[in-house]
């Protein structure tokens, strides 16, 4: 077995796929830097991310599978599920060795798994579009800290940029320790070290715009007023707003 | 009372009064944020779900719950002794913008009790939408209620600012409407529906010629009827809904299970359970008509005027038509496969795509994620089990035994203590 170590980026993953073929690596097993502790019984091949190599894989994929399926591969990569890289590798190998298009061959386990995983990632993406609750600071920044199950920030930046084109906003992934900041013109990826402050509710409240608390109160009032008690159905409620998301929801505080 | 308390009180009264209108959709529009303003409208997002499990997508409020009408089923009826309130136009605008900027909502759904007369009320609704669009460059979703009897000019202007307009037909038959809403008449509701349908078609034609034609109600129109307050059958309800889809190009018909709010002896008494199962079955039937290629008479007809409550309408249809089964999933067309109980639209698409690679067997089908335990009675397959000639009632009882209905608790005659 050859452990093929890459840097965790999508470009790096495509470079790894390229090098599996370039060096004819025997029994390749792709792993992220962080996830690898070295292989006891095999070789280790370290991949250095290379734009040209990754682009050649990308162009080849474009020639043999649809744009929709390429997007599914990317979404599946963002799931960060353990060993998902090898499902993607096997899918690409299968696509390359077939002289017909295989993307709908759902009775093949890897094809079905990619379809299902990309669906899960997209569900999480949709939930983030829904469950983000911005809070307004004194200097008129709308911010929200999220902890999505999958790494969906790269998928939601465009939505928030188009929608909130006229306000500065920050979405910060508290698990993956990076965020997206929109300055009124462009969206930038940012890394910050403000954990200590942001974990403290009181520190946060002093940063808030004077109207912030009022609108949170009004929203809570609205949320409880539109409920119809005679139709109460907590099971359905929790299925649709699973408890792990409540931490960002003003109305569930 | 401090300003913030007064606005909180108004919000609680006017949200409470609006919540019986079940329309929640924020989809079907494609309004873009082209003016570097605030918001856009596209596929619809449910931002929250209330404890009754209903989605919260829009800020759904009444401009006022003062009303000159006395519709028995309505909580805001003139004769009801409740707190009354009214928002100013600016208050609604501020709430919408500030909720929207915090990503609480997709937009505004504004309705109103009728004060003075239809035009006076409609004019206020239109002015809120106009102000949001023009002064605040707001491109989020706006759903305006059309007040029956409002002038064509006002309805037309509403369509220029709103994404969706709706006029509630309220009751499934004119007879029930006359009984419960003596101030209203159906002609006043149908007239603006027809007007909107024509205006939307005309706008689409103009758009083909001139790209600069302004949008007109891009998310179309919808309507709602209260069910369970009056004795209509599902046949009457679904035939009316089918007519709305066919004749008025309605995007949605909503069915609102009556929540008893009145001691009026024309209505079910307070404490009568909300007909939630029936409401759910009506929505399932509605989906079959809109997405599964079913004709209304296949779902309900004079022999079967009521939907079954214990099983869904697709399964009911299949059990009444066992001569059409079993279906060979390796050969049958998509439109046949999508009618098999236990197979939804996505599964049907997957089956049709996957069978091109190899013959599908029961193991494959289970992995694809169909409800195999339900579908197995209706497909020809490689196993022995399904080849038996079951009687419809046997199949029904097998299926009922397997799954616990989500409504089982509601079937139980026992009182729940906790």
């Amino acid at each position: 077995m050859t452990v093929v170590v890459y840097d965790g980026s999508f470009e790096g993953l495509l470079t790894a796929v390229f090098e599996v073929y370039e060096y004819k690596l025997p029994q390749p097993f792709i792993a992220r830097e962080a996830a690898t502790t070295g292989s006891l019984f095999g070789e280790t091949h370290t991949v250095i991310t290379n734009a040209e190599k990754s682009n050649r894989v990308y162009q080849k994929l474009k020639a043999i599978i649809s744009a929709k399926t390429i997007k599914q591969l990317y979404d599946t990569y963002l799931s960060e599920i353990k060993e998902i890289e090898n499902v993607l590798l096997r899918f690409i190998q299968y696509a390359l060795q077939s002289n017909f298009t295989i993307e709908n061959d759902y009775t093949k386990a890897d094809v079905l798994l990619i379809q299902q995983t990309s669906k899960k990632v997209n569900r999480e993406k949709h939930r983030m579009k829904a469950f983000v609750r911005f809070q307004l600071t004194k200097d008129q920044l709308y911010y929200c800290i999220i902890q999505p199950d999958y790494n969906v920030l790269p998928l939601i930046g465009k939505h928030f940029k188009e929608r909130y084109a006229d306000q500065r906003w920050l979405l910060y992934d508290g698990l993956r320790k990076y965020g997206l900041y929109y300055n009124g013109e462009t969206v930038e990826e940012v890394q910050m070290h403000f954990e200590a402050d942001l974990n403290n509710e009181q520190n946060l409240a002093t940063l808030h715009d004077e109207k912030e608390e009022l609108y949170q109160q009004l929203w809570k009032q609205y949320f409880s007023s539109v409920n119809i008690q005679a139709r109460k159905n907590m099971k359905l409620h929790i299925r649709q707003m699973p408890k792990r998301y409540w931490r960002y929801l003003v109305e569930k505080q | 009372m401090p300003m913030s308390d007064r606005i909180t009180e108004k919000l609680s009264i006017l949200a409470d009064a609006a919540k019986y209108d079940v329309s929640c959709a924020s989809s079907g529009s494609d309004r873009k944020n082209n003016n570097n303003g605030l918001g856009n409208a596209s596929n619809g997002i449910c931002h929250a779900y209330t404890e009754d499990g209903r989605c919260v997508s829009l800020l759904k409020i009444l401009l006022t719950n003062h009303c000159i009408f006395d519709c028995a089923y309505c909580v805001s009826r003139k004769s009801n002794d409740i707190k009354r309130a009214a928002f100013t136009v600016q208050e609604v605008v501020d709430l919408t913008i500030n909720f929207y900027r915090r990503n609480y909502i997709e937009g505004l759904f504004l309705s109103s009790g009728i004060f003075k007369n239809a035009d006076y009320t409609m004019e206020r609704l239109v002015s809120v939408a106009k102000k949001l669009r023009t002064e605040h460059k707001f491109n989020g979703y706006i759903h305006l209620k059309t007040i029956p009897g409002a002038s064509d000019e006002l309805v037309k202007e509403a369509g220029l600012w709103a994404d969706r307009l709706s006029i509630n037909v309220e009751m499934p038959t004119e007879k029930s409407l006359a009984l419960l809403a003596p101030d209203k008449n159906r002609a006043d509701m149908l007239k603006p529906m027809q007007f909107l349908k024509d205006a939307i078609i005309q706008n689409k034609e103009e758009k083909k010629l001139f790209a600069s034609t302004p949008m007109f109600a891009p998310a179309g129109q919808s309507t709602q009827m209260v069910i369970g307050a009056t004795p209509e059958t599902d046949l009457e309800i679904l035939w009316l809904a089918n007519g709305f889809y066919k004749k008025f190009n309605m995007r949605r018909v909503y069915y609102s299970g009556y929540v008893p709010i009145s001691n009026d002896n024309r209505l079910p008494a307070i404490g009568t359970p909300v007909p939630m199962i029936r409401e759910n079955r009506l929505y399932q039937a509605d989906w079959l008509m809109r997405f599964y290629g079913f004709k209304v008479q296949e779902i309900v007809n004079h022999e079967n005027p009521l939907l079954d409550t214990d099983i869904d309408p697709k399964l009911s249809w299949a059990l009444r038509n066992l001569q059409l089964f079993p279906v060979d999933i390796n050969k049958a067309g998509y439109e046949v496969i999508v009618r098999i109980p236990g197979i939804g639209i996505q599964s049907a698409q997957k089956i049709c795509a996957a069978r091109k690679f190899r013959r599908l067997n029961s193991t494959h089908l289970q992995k694809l994620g169909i409800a195999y335990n339900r579908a197995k009675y209706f497909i020809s397959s490689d196993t022995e089990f399904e080849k038996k000639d079951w009687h419809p009632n046997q199949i029904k009882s097998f299926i009922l035994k397997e799954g616990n209905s989500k409504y089982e608790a509601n079937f139980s005659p026992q009182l729940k203590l906790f």
Side-chain angles (χ1 to χ4, degrees), chain A:
Chain A
M1 187 173 79
T2 315
V3 178
V4 184
V5 180
Y6 81 113
D7 62 2
S9 69
F10 192 61
E11 260 195 350
L13 177 58
L14 293 186
T15 309
V17 171
F18 187 89
E19 294 192 355
V20 165
Y21 282 90
E22 185 183 18
Y23 299 109
K24 297 194 171 62
L25 299 174
Q27 292 173 282
F29 181 88
I30 303 179
R32 276 170 202 246
E33 259 161 0
T36 334
T37 48
S39 160
L40 277 176
F41 303 105
E43 297 291 313
T44 298
H45 172 93
T46 304
V47 172
I48 295 168
T49 300
N50 176 310
E52 198 197 323
K53 289 178 180 179
S54 70
N55 190 44
R56 278 180 61 187
V57 175
Y58 179 68
Q59 293 306 329
K60 181 70 188 171
L61 287 174
K62 260 175 51 177
I64 58 172
I65 58 177
S66 67
K68 181 177 149 236
T69 305
I70 294 179
K71 174 74 168 54
Q72 285 185 355
L73 298 181
Y74 179 61
D75 294 347
T76 300
Y77 150 79
L78 291 177
S79 74
E80 300 175 334
I81 290 170
K82 210 176 157 214
E83 299 183 15
I84 198 71
E85 292 90 346
N86 296 293
V87 177
L88 292 165
L89 174 64
R90 288 197 299 271
F91 179 95
I92 294 171
Q93 287 173 327
Y94 181 41
L96 287 170
Q97 70 195 216
S98 307
N99 48 12
F100 48 89
T101 172
I102 53 91
E103 49 200 295
N104 293 332
D105 190 0
Y106 297 121
T107 49
K108 277 263 194 260
D110 292 327
V111 178
L112 185 63
L113 187 64
I114 283 170
Q115 193 270 338
Q116 288 168 336
T117 308
S118 69
K119 202 168 156 185
K120 282 186 198 163
V121 171
N122 276 290
R123 188 179 304 137
E124 188 69 359
K125 164 190 158 184
H126 189 80
R127 279 180 170 151
M128 287 305 119
K129 287 186 190 174
F131 295 156
V132 158
R133 300 283 182 264
F134 283 125
Q135 307 192 57
L136 181 60
T137 67
K138 282 200 177 93
D139 58 353
Q140 304 304 296
L141 173 74
Y142 288 85
Y143 77 92
C144 179
I145 301 163
I146 59 174
Q147 299 186 16
D149 292 351
Y150 308 120
N151 181 21
V152 295
L153 268 189
L155 300 177
I156 59 177
K158 183 169 172 278
H159 167 81
F160 282 96
K161 178 175 184 254
E162 287 173 356
R163 175 160 291 199
Y164 300 110
D166 71 343
Q167 69 190 45
R168 291 191 308 126
W169 53 259
L170 169 71
L171 282 170
Y172 190 78
D173 184 333
L175 287 176
R176 293 168 190 83
K177 311 282 179 214
Y178 81 105
L180 298 179
Y181 169 65
Y182 174 69
N183 57 18
E185 281 173 16
T186 53
V187 178
E188 293 157 11
E189 199 175 302
V190 289
Q191 252 123 22
M192 291 184 191
H193 304 281
F194 51 11
E195 251 74 356
D197 279 352
L198 284 182
N199 284 331
N200 183 328
E201 292 286 325
Q202 279 187 330
N203 281 353
L204 276 179
T206 59
L207 294 172
H208 281 162
D209 179 84
E210 55 177 10
K211 288 265 178 72
E212 180 55 31
E213 203 196 336
L214 169 66
Y215 282 108
Q216 291 192 15
Q217 286 309 320
L218 287 169
W219 175 242
K220 283 187 200 177
Q221 179 62 55
Y222 177 72
F223 182 74
S224 74
S225 294
V226 289
N227 182 44
I228 297 179
Q229 199 56 34
R231 303 180 58 118
K232 187 167 176 167
N233 186 344
M234 284 306 277
K235 211 173 133 190
L236 184 58
H237 171 64
I238 288 167
R239 197 176 77 210
Q240 289 170 326
M241 288 210 309
K243 283 189 176 163
R244 65 182 182 281
Y245 300 100
W246 289 9
R247 67 168 84 88
Y248 348 108
L249 298 174
V250 168
E251 63 274 23
K252 298 304 289 182
Q253 304 309 314

Side-chain angles (χ1 to χ4, degrees), chain B residues 360-379:
Chain B
L360 304 182
N361 59 34
S362 54
T363 320
H364 291 143
L365 286 179
Q366 289 174 66
K367 285 207 176 121
L368 285 183
I370 72 166
Y372 185 72
N373 281 338
R374 178 172 287 242
K376 66 184 177 187
Y377 302 99
F378 304 97
I379 55 186

